[in-house]
Amino acid sequence: MITGTWDVELKTPIGTLAATYEFTGTADGFTGTATSRDETVPLVDVVVDGQRVTWRQSVTRPLRLNLDFDVIVTGDELTGHSRAGRLPRTAVTGTRRA
């Protein structure tokens, strides 16, 4: 299950970016937010399919990008990638807070 608070790192070509992700279960599925040093943005279209979780989000810093995430959750760890359009994939790892 993806619910909870996650410390996530994105290994991008410009360096590693850290963000805090908050996922909440609702009657209609899942919602969430991503918070970095500069901004908090909503997560869109959060889909949980077994261990696989996908979502979309937009950011304005350090660049204005629309990101698509695809991760696998195993217990309190997540691994996967994000992609912004035609840019190369960015490795994503995370740990759920206790």
Side-chain angles (χ1 to χ4, degrees):
M1 186 63 71
I2 191 69
T3 57
T5 302
W6 295 79
D7 293 314
V8 175
E9 289 188 340
L10 295 87
K11 294 184 179 22
T12 74
I14 62 169
T16 299
L17 302 175
T20 302
Y21 282 76
E22 183 78 36
F23 291 92
T24 306
T26 69
D28 298 325
F30 294 89
T31 62
T33 58
T35 302
S36 68
R37 185 181 65 187
D38 298 323
E39 66 183 337
T40 297
V41 298
L43 307 182
V44 179
D45 297 331
V46 179
V47 176
V48 176
D49 183 12
Q51 290 181 288
R52 183 177 185 208
V53 182
T54 58
W55 71 88
R56 295 182 301 118
Q57 71 184 75
S58 296
V59 296
T60 60
R61 295 184 179 137
L63 300 169
R64 185 176 300 276
L65 298 170
N66 295 315
L67 304 171
D68 294 315
F69 284 77
D70 190 340
V71 301
I72 300 295
V73 177
T74 307
D76 292 333
E77 305 282 322
L78 67 78
T79 58
H81 67 272
S82 71
R83 177 166 250 156
R86 290 185 260 166
L87 294 175
R89 284 181 174 186
T90 295
V92 176
T93 59
T95 303
R96 186 189 335 246
R97 292 184 185 174

